[in-house]
Amino acid sequence: MIIIGENIHVIAKEVSQAIRERNAKVIQDLAIQQKEAGADYLDLNVGPVKRDTEETMKWLVECVQEVVDLPLSIDTMNPVAMEAGLKYCKRRPLLNSASGKTDSKQNMLPLAKKYNCDVVVSVMTDKGMPPDLETKVESILDTVTYANELGIPNEDIWIDPIILPVSTAGEGQRIAVENLEFIKILQDVVPGVKSTVGLSNVSNGVPHHLRPILNRTYLVMLERSGLYSAIADPLDEELMALIRGKMENVRQLIYKVMDKEEIDMSSLTQKEIDYVKTARILMGETLYSDAWLEI
Amino acid sequence: MEFKVPKEAYTGNVREIVIGKGEKTLKIGGENILPLHFFDDGVQPNPPRFALEVLDMVPQDWPDFLKEPYLDVISDPIKWAKKCEEYGADAISLMLLSTDPAEKDTSPDEAASLVKRMLSEVRKPLIVYGCGDEKKDSEVLPRVAEVCKGENLLIGPVQKENYEIVGKAILENGHVAIAQTPLDINLLKELNIKLCKFLPPERVVIDPLSSALGYGIEYSFSIMERVKQIGIITKDSMTMMPIIANLGGECWKTKQAKEEKNQGLLWEGITAIALLLAGANLLVLRHPETLKLVKETLGGNKIWN
């Protein structure tokens, strides 16, 4: 599993402030920490960068590359900022992201060809989020065909099914299950493509201290379904342990829930019980509530 | 080839809850089929029940045709409640509106004493709704529970802000709780989990809020429908409780209901029928003619025999 470190993110106040004030140390510390924790890529989520676009992107990319040699994922919706970022990358970067939206096809996808980089392609279309599995597949087939025509091979395309919060009134759980299925069938639909997700979104809106177990459990489930990479928090030690082949007992329990096998809860530790309960939420077996571990 | 009608059989069962005691009791819930799915394997032993609503103060914003059936009793809640019995209500839902600090800020003692008096005078089970102000309710409802100890009243709303204090008073004094959450199934389940840490689930009725036709009824419908599906199909213990639809007040504050009598009756009646189809077990109405209309629509209780 390729982990794209998510922690350099403008929604974090210290990051947006550091970029504004050109405070290299804050950014470089985050980069080093994530690399040491085992990240394979670093995501630079810069937002729209409307002011001093070129200069800001150059500064940020070079600032990170000064201290780590990991490939970068340039994460912005603004094609001008995207190009500025890609231009300064020393290693083959990841364009994060393009989608099936017309303006994205016209302005983002050509950049992937121009800079010969990998590209995240989400299932979004001009109509918004496809409502079910079938329409997600249609959207991806359409966008991948378009990308192929531009000369981007399947192997350079990382498909993103878009993870939504599991806590949103019923729908969130349905979509969590559907996305597992999407990842599972992806290779049959578009052979050779890779895949990625914005993992933490699954726990958006959930009380802060309960977010990690949802993220970890879902990543194990996605990995088993065939996920290639995830934008996630490499500083979460338990998350990294789980996907680096440790905590085998927990992994097996999550698999059992996925396979709908009976589990004897009386023989489990509290931590194992919590993982089983969380996996049941993510499989849509029990209705989500913030108190899911308390019952 | 022989055609076999498909039949579903589910494992979940909505808890049957009794309200009131002695002669004046009412059973709600108990079904192990989806609402009105009599063609499946299982039973819906208790028909939907209907309460008429009484306020503890003269209503200020009711249209004349809604006040009309209660005109001679409207300033006396106890006589008003008796009138509701005459109109065929299965239960009386007393709304302690005057306790609202924005209304008369009636004291907990005074409110509780009214409930106690009403209890001794009426022959139907009582539902008691506080004003909805979490803080005031957490003073008024425990007092009501205490003064009416052992009477098995249905008391609410118990909300996430006051569930500990109100829920404990309900537990200690032998009543049933109305657990109320604002149109959100995840919050609904969370409140039930928290409440049921000390209150047996057999003493909880769900109030997911009942929006009126044209004012968000789709939300209430979907949530009630899902509560039943999740309880009955997937056997989720925390949604296997009966549902109360307190819809009268919501309907009669709409412009459309206030405009014209027949339109008002239909507004309340259609809202009631829709929520009943979604799974409501106990419905609180305001106009006695709506009650008649809804009962006629259901064809008496024939389908339950």
Side-chain angles (χ1 to χ4, degrees):
Chain A
M1 170 75 66
I2 301 291
I3 292 294
I4 305 161
E6 71 180 3
N7 302 56
I8 301 177
H9 195 302
V10 281
I11 289 177
K13 215 175 142 202
E14 52 158 4
V15 172
S16 64
Q17 195 179 344
I19 295 177
R20 211 167 41 241
E21 295 168 1
R22 301 288 187 262
N23 181 345
K25 183 156 186 334
V26 171
I27 304 290
Q28 290 177 336
D29 282 352
L30 278 171
I32 293 167
Q33 280 171 27
Q34 292 185 87
K35 183 189 165 161
E36 284 173 355
D40 302 292
Y41 275 76
L42 293 184
D43 192 58
L44 305 182
N45 185 330
V46 291
V49 211
K50 294 218 178 82
R51 283 174 36 205
D52 305 326
T53 309
E54 175 87 20
E55 198 269 327
T56 303
M57 293 309 292
K58 179 174 192 285
W59 175 81
L60 183 65
V61 169
E62 288 179 345
C63 164
V64 172
Q65 289 182 151
E66 245 172 56
V67 291
V68 296
D69 56 359
L70 294 178
L72 302 178
S73 151
I74 309 296
D75 190 347
T76 175
M77 301 293 270
N78 175 359
V80 178
M82 180 63 76
E83 178 154 17
L86 296 175
K87 204 157 53 181
Y88 295 102
C89 288
K90 286 191 214 152
R91 295 185 60 182
R92 191 167 199 256
L94 179 60
L95 186 163
N96 187 10
S97 63
S99 73
K101 290 187 172 177
T102 306
D103 67 339
S104 181
K105 281 177 174 171
Q106 288 171 353
N107 300 314
M108 281 293 191
L109 274 179
L111 292 177
K113 176 65 186 164
K114 183 172 174 187
Y115 289 91
N116 182 33
C117 60
D118 286 333
V119 56
V120 175
V121 172
S122 86
V123 294
M124 294 291 267
T125 69
D126 288 329
K127 289 186 210 155
M129 176 80 171
D132 53 32
L133 189 61
E134 205 176 312
T135 45
K136 273 183 183 168
V137 167
E138 275 169 27
S139 152
I140 280 308
L141 283 172
D142 178 68
T143 317
V144 169
T145 307
Y146 188 92
N148 292 158
E149 281 163 11
L150 291 175
I152 303 169
N154 284 3
E155 287 67 24
D156 291 355
I157 298 173
W158 301 26
I159 304 289
D160 177 1
I162 307 254
I163 303 285
L164 291 178
V166 77
S167 60
T168 48
E171 271 299 272
Q173 285 180 278
R174 182 183 68 76
I175 293 167
V177 177
E178 186 179 281
N179 279 336
L180 292 174
E181 185 61 23
F182 179 90
I183 294 296
K184 211 166 158 184
I185 63 172
L186 189 59
Q187 285 307 319
D188 293 334
V189 178
V190 220
V193 291
K194 300 184 169 77
S195 53
T196 196
V197 296
L199 181 68
S200 311
N201 208 26
V202 78
S203 62
N204 221 337
V206 172
H208 194 72
H209 67 288
L210 294 169
R211 294 190 64 175
I213 192 167
L214 271 169
N215 298 344
R216 295 166 193 157
T217 309
Y218 199 42
L219 190 58
V220 169
M221 297 166 96
L222 285 160
E223 185 186 36
R224 191 191 193 199
S225 304
L227 185 72
Y228 175 75
S229 71
I231 303 165
D233 178 10
L235 304 182
D236 179 342
E237 286 175 22
E238 205 162 309
L239 179 98
M240 295 303 278
L242 270 165
I243 54 133
R244 297 296 186 231
K246 293 168 193 148
M247 297 175 69
E248 190 55 27
N249 56 331
V250 168
R251 168 183 299 276
Q252 289 308 324
L253 281 168
I254 295 172
Y255 287 0
K256 276 189 180 175
V257 175
M258 292 175 84
D259 296 337
K260 308 208 186 309
E261 279 180 41
E262 292 273 328
I263 296 171
D264 174 15
M265 298 285 259
S266 66
S267 65
L268 304 182
T269 65
Q270 188 56 48
K271 181 182 259 190
E272 290 169 336
I273 291 171
D274 287 352
Y275 271 103
V276 169
K277 287 178 177 172
T278 307
R280 285 185 176 150
I281 292 284
L282 289 162
M283 286 302 290
E285 275 184 38
T286 31
L287 177 67
Y288 177 82
S289 82
D290 283 353
W292 88 91
L293 295 178
E294 295 172 40
I295 183 173
Chain B
M1 206 171 77
E2 195 192 343
F3 173 70
K4 219 172 158 226
V5 182
K7 261 189 174 209
E8 299 287 347
Y10 303 113
T11 51
N13 204 337
V14 175
R15 295 177 182 88
E16 185 172 73
I17 293 190
V18 179
I19 301 156
K21 72 168 202 187
E23 298 285 290
K24 29 181 179 184
T25 58
L26 188 63
K27 271 189 202 164
I28 55 171
E31 68 267 28
N32 60 356
I33 49 172
L34 295 174
L36 307 172
H37 284 211
F38 295 107
F39 43 80
D40 281 335
D41 254 355
V43 289
Q44 184 170 357
N46 299 302
R49 301 291 187 180
F50 301 94
L52 283 173
E53 186 170 41
V54 172
L55 304 191
D56 70 341
M57 59 183 271
V58 178
Q60 301 300 306
D61 55 350
W62 288 21
D64 288 342
F65 47 83
L66 176 57
K67 278 192 255 179
E68 192 271 320
Y70 307 113
L71 216 47
D72 49 336
V73 294
I74 206 148
S75 52
D76 183 340
I78 292 172
K79 285 187 181 153
W80 183 348
K82 288 183 166 173
K83 195 89 176 181
C84 293
E85 292 181 338
E86 285 171 30
Y87 286 134
D90 301 314
I92 307 299
S93 181
L94 174 62
M95 164 74 168
L96 299 172
L97 180 63
S98 79
T99 61
D100 192 328
E103 296 286 346
K104 294 181 177 173
D105 205 10
T106 304
S107 74
D109 278 336
E110 204 178 320
S113 124
L114 171 66
V115 179
K116 176 100 181 160
R117 272 184 291 134
M118 186 173 285
L119 195 58
S120 65
E121 300 254 355
V122 300
R123 290 165 322 207
K124 294 289 179 186
L126 264 191
I127 304 164
V128 180
Y129 262 101
C131 64
D133 178 302
E134 310 102 47
K135 208 161 156 269
K136 187 65 191 279
D137 280 351
S138 68
E139 297 165 17
V140 172
L141 298 179
R143 191 72 193 122
V144 169
E146 234 170 73
V147 168
C148 303
K149 190 175 174 75
E151 293 292 342
N152 201 23
L153 307 179
L154 182 54
I155 299 179
V158 177
Q159 303 183 70
K160 77 169 192 302
E161 294 82 2
N162 62 15
Y163 77 94
E164 281 175 305
I165 181 160
V166 181
K168 283 201 171 113
I170 286 172
L171 172 75
E172 284 160 14
N173 296 290
H175 303 292
V176 181
I178 300 170
Q180 187 184 78
T181 36
L183 290 172
D184 182 308
I185 191 151
N186 301 124
L187 295 178
L188 178 158
K189 182 172 172 181
E190 184 184 358
L191 179 61
N192 285 355
I193 293 174
K194 290 187 165 159
L195 202 52
C196 291
K197 282 186 177 170
F198 59 88
L199 191 65
E202 295 74 26
R203 309 249 305 258
V204 177
V205 171
I206 294 171
D207 178 356
L209 292 191
S210 298
S211 302
L213 177 66
Y215 292 81
I217 193 174
E218 325 50 3
Y219 292 95
S220 296
F221 189 98
S222 302
I223 288 172
M224 290 185 188
E225 193 181 34
R226 275 190 43 82
V227 164
K228 294 295 171 175
Q229 289 170 350
I230 288 166
I232 289 167
I233 302 175
T234 73
K235 212 180 169 183
D236 189 322
S237 171
M238 286 300 111
T239 66
M240 290 199 296
M241 290 87 164
I243 294 175
I244 182 169
N246 189 9
L247 62 102
E250 292 300 320
C251 289
W252 287 103
K253 73 184 180 205
T254 69
K255 175 172 155 280
Q256 291 79 0
K258 285 179 178 173
E259 227 162 46
E260 197 271 324
K261 183 178 169 184
N262 276 325
Q263 190 166 296
L265 295 177
L266 284 170
W267 217 265
E268 190 177 32
I270 290 169
T271 302
I273 294 284
L275 297 181
L276 189 151
L277 291 172
N281 300 88
L282 176 58
L283 299 95
V284 182
L285 309 173
R286 275 192 177 165
H287 204 296
E289 287 181 56
T290 311
L291 175 63
K292 199 163 157 260
L293 182 67
V294 173
K295 283 193 165 174
E296 275 170 18
T297 310
L298 288 179
N301 278 345
K302 261 178 267 166
I303 42 178
W304 272 270
N305 294 332

